[in-house]
Amino acid sequence: LVHCLLHARDTTMQVESSFAGKAPARGVEVSTAPFGSDVPLGEPSWYQNLNTPYYNASHIAWRAKLRDFFEKEVEPIVDDWDRKASQNDHAACGEYIKTMYKKSAAYGILPACVGKPWPRQYTSAPEPAGYDYFHELINVDEGSRCGGGIAWAMMGGLGIGMPPVLNFGIPGNPALQERVVRECLAGEKIICLCITEPGAGSDVSNLQCTARDAGDHFVVDGNKKWITNGIYADYFTVAVRTGPPGSAHKGLSMLLLEKSMPGITVTKMDCMGVWPSGTTYIEFDGVKVPKANVVGKLNEGFKQVMYNFNHERWLLAGQAARMARTCVEESLAFARSRRTFGKFLIEHQAIQHKIGEMARQCEGLQAWLENVTFQMNTMSKEEQNRKLGGHIALLKLSSSRVAEFCASSAMQVLGGAGYTRTGKGAKVERIYREVKAYAIPGGSEEIMLNLAAGQFGFVQRRAPDPRDKKIKQLVDELKRIKSKM
């Protein structure tokens, strides 16, 4: 670690000197010293002494800061946190998440979880020079080296629950907006996003949780399911139906609810993976919510949810990309040390091919991820939503499939060690049971393909349905009969 940090420091000084303290212009290639793992392809290419058009001195310094934080503060507690979560030890897990939120805030990391720009009006945390989406990507990447459950615990609820408040505000109660954002970015409170329901996930327009108009307030009734950080949350950004039955996407709004409001019940769910994240079932039973708590505008909740999805899916893709790469790193390190049939495991050509295929997919995914990140950097949020929905959908799909492939392949390389929750295979075992949390939440792989097909306009025209002609004949006949009555 010391060796890596010294390299990062020296490289940072060299690059800063070359650019006279300014971030290099886009398109300028910067060569960075090796950083992190010495396992080949165990880190993104710009960690591997290769040139990059995307990262500069500010990113290098930010990367070193984050690696230092996660290695010192997070990695030593990951196994115990994961175990306590699997045992439903809510008290211990609650203490872990609250402590790590406070430490993350002290390190100045939390503001980098909520998108661009840096929310400087709500935090005193120092902003990295030239802060952009690549800084946030580094945050996502470094935070996922320990696994998805820890990443979701430490930045999941904040990363998807706070952007609607920041992007659309709470016009009816600016003081509430100020308080919520400041407290969450300071690590004092936790927020979560509540969209998915038992009967509606990607089909957002059919959400059934209602907010009935009761004069000066709404009364919220309904359920939300699979909510990240919900059991630990102090604030809930909730998608509700404020329009009449059948209003579909035109009758949705977002409200900001507080844990102190009577009628909110949270229950931890027992899931396959990402245990530390606190996946939650939430019941709203006659919760009175002031009308001033509307996020953005009334009945524009569908727009807000869609606006949020691109950032969420990009975050998930970044996490899955690092988890896949961790499988490469763990597999190669293990294969170099494990002896079978009188030779090291890595000497077997079948193992070389397996790890090589994993690395090939990781490198391709990383290049795509960084290209999309560059696009985000050069577009307004409106342009992102107009142009990148299909691209990010396919990126998310690819990331979950690469992660699943690499987790399965790594499990085969490590054998019994990978099947065990402790020892050399602990990381691979954890990732193996977490990969489905990337193939389903945030939009399943099948939904991502449907979305991309629609966004790119795969179908230019539809073939005529022979039933349409018969229907028209029947309608015309019915009109003719009515006209004679």
Side-chain angles (χ1 to χ4, degrees):
L1 173 61
V2 172
H3 177 71
C4 292
L5 290 175
L6 287 174
H7 265 302
R9 182 202 64 186
D10 294 343
T11 306
T12 300
M13 292 173 63
Q14 293 168 9
V15 176
E16 286 178 341
S17 175
S18 299
F19 290 96
K22 297 180 180 179
R26 292 295 176 201
V28 175
E29 293 184 352
V30 177
S31 180
T32 64
F35 181 88
S37 173
D38 60 0
V39 175
L41 302 169
E43 303 278 11
S45 61
W46 73 286
Y47 289 50
Q48 302 169 34
N49 198 28
L50 294 179
N51 296 334
T52 173
Y54 301 127
Y55 302 97
N56 56 51
S58 177
H59 299 113
I60 292 169
W62 182 245
R63 177 185 64 183
K65 177 178 180 175
L66 291 173
R67 180 64 63 99
D68 180 59
F69 171 75
F70 284 104
E71 286 191 340
K72 284 182 178 178
E73 303 290 351
V74 182
E75 287 190 21
I77 65 173
V78 167
D79 291 338
D80 187 59
W81 193 348
D82 212 34
R83 184 166 52 254
K84 290 289 198 305
S86 71
Q87 297 167 349
N88 283 325
D89 188 341
H90 302 323
C93 291
E95 190 59 34
Y96 268 136
I97 195 169
K98 289 176 183 176
T99 299
M100 295 317 301
Y101 256 80
K102 290 177 181 176
K103 287 186 176 182
S104 298
Y107 259 72
I109 294 173
L110 294 184
C113 296
V114 296
K116 177 187 171 185
W118 185 270
R120 60 182 68 89
Q121 71 185 88
Y122 300 105
T123 178
S124 60
E127 178 180 355
Y131 178 76
D132 62 11
Y133 283 111
F134 283 102
H135 287 92
E136 186 178 12
L137 179 59
I138 295 168
N139 191 26
V140 172
D141 180 75
E142 290 292 329
S144 304
R145 292 177 64 244
C146 299
I150 298 300
W152 286 21
M154 295 183 60
M155 61 184 77
L158 181 67
I160 59 178
M162 184 58 72
V165 177
L166 284 171
N167 292 329
F168 296 96
I170 306 177
N173 194 344
L176 174 63
Q177 177 181 335
E178 179 87 10
R179 169 165 61 88
V180 169
V181 178
R182 283 191 175 278
E183 288 178 343
C184 290
L185 295 184
E188 297 168 0
K189 296 291 179 66
I190 295 172
I191 192 169
C192 69
L193 180 69
C194 304
I195 295 177
T196 305
E197 298 177 0
S202 297
D203 188 9
V204 175
S205 62
N206 280 320
L207 294 178
Q208 298 302 308
C209 184
T210 60
R212 177 173 54 84
D213 192 329
D216 63 347
H217 64 276
F218 292 108
V219 177
V220 177
D221 288 287
N223 308 308
K224 297 293 179 178
K225 200 170 186 180
W226 300 291
I227 304 304
T228 300
N229 293 176
I231 195 169
Y232 308 117
D234 302 285
Y235 301 114
F236 307 83
T237 308
V238 187
V240 295
R241 181 162 301 286
T242 46
S247 56
H249 66 281
K250 295 181 179 179
L252 295 180
S253 300
M254 294 192 88
L255 300 178
L256 195 287
L257 276 64
E258 301 189 49
K259 187 177 183 179
S260 58
M261 294 175 175
I264 301 177
T265 304
V266 296
T267 305
K268 169 79 181 303
M269 296 177 64
D270 291 323
C271 296
M272 181 179 180
V274 293
W275 298 331
S277 68
T279 306
T280 307
Y281 180 72
I282 304 178
E283 299 170 86
F284 301 111
D285 184 10
V287 183
K288 294 182 179 180
V289 183
K291 286 189 173 178
N293 285 36
V294 172
V295 176
K297 296 180 180 180
L298 191 68
N299 293 325
E300 290 193 3
F302 185 80
K303 171 187 174 182
Q304 294 155 16
V305 171
M306 294 299 105
Y307 200 87
N308 208 45
F309 266 147
N310 278 350
H311 184 253
E312 176 182 358
R313 290 165 180 160
W314 172 78
L315 290 176
L316 291 171
Q319 292 171 2
R322 170 53 84 168
M323 291 164 65
R325 192 175 293 278
T326 296
C327 290
V328 173
E329 181 185 6
E330 294 296 304
S331 296
L332 185 49
F334 179 84
R336 282 175 162 181
S337 63
R338 171 80 160 136
R339 289 180 179 270
T340 62
F341 304 102
K343 60 174 69 173
F344 288 109
L345 183 61
I346 193 60
E347 293 183 75
H348 296 282
Q349 190 177 59
I351 299 300
Q352 295 174 20
H353 288 182
K354 189 176 289 290
I355 296 175
E357 177 60 20
M358 294 161 63
R360 179 189 70 80
Q361 294 192 28
C362 285
E363 290 296 295
L365 176 60
Q366 187 73 29
W368 191 359
L369 175 63
E370 289 177 346
N371 177 54
V372 169
T373 304
F374 175 77
Q375 302 305 320
M376 292 166 62
N377 255 356
T378 56
M379 296 179 183
S380 66
K381 286 188 170 67
E382 290 73 18
E383 189 178 5
Q384 290 175 32
N385 286 318
R386 194 168 63 251
K387 293 182 177 180
L388 297 182
H391 293 280
I392 292 176
L394 292 180
L395 172 65
K396 179 189 179 293
L397 164 66
S398 184
S399 72
S400 62
R401 290 191 174 172
V402 170
E404 191 165 356
F405 174 83
C406 289
S408 180
S409 298
M411 184 69 75
Q412 292 301 119
V413 173
L414 271 71
Y419 193 71
T420 308
R421 288 186 182 171
T422 57
K424 293 183 178 180
K427 285 185 179 180
V428 169
E429 186 277 332
R430 181 181 300 120
I431 291 172
Y432 187 84
R433 59 179 155 80
E434 291 182 338
V435 290
K436 280 301 180 183
Y438 290 83
I440 300 171
S444 69
E445 292 180 345
E446 293 75 15
I447 291 293
M448 293 299 94
L449 286 170
N450 278 348
L451 173 62
Q455 291 276 311
F456 293 123
F458 282 6
V459 178
Q460 288 188 314
R461 61 191 180 91
R462 297 188 181 276
D465 189 332
R467 293 172 298 181
D468 292 341
K469 183 177 180 180
K470 186 63 177 177
I471 291 171
K472 185 177 186 306
Q473 289 175 348
L474 291 172
V475 169
D476 290 343
E477 179 65 14
L478 181 60
K479 288 180 180 178
R480 186 183 67 77
I481 293 172
K482 284 185 175 179
S483 67
K484 293 182 175 181
M485 293 178 66

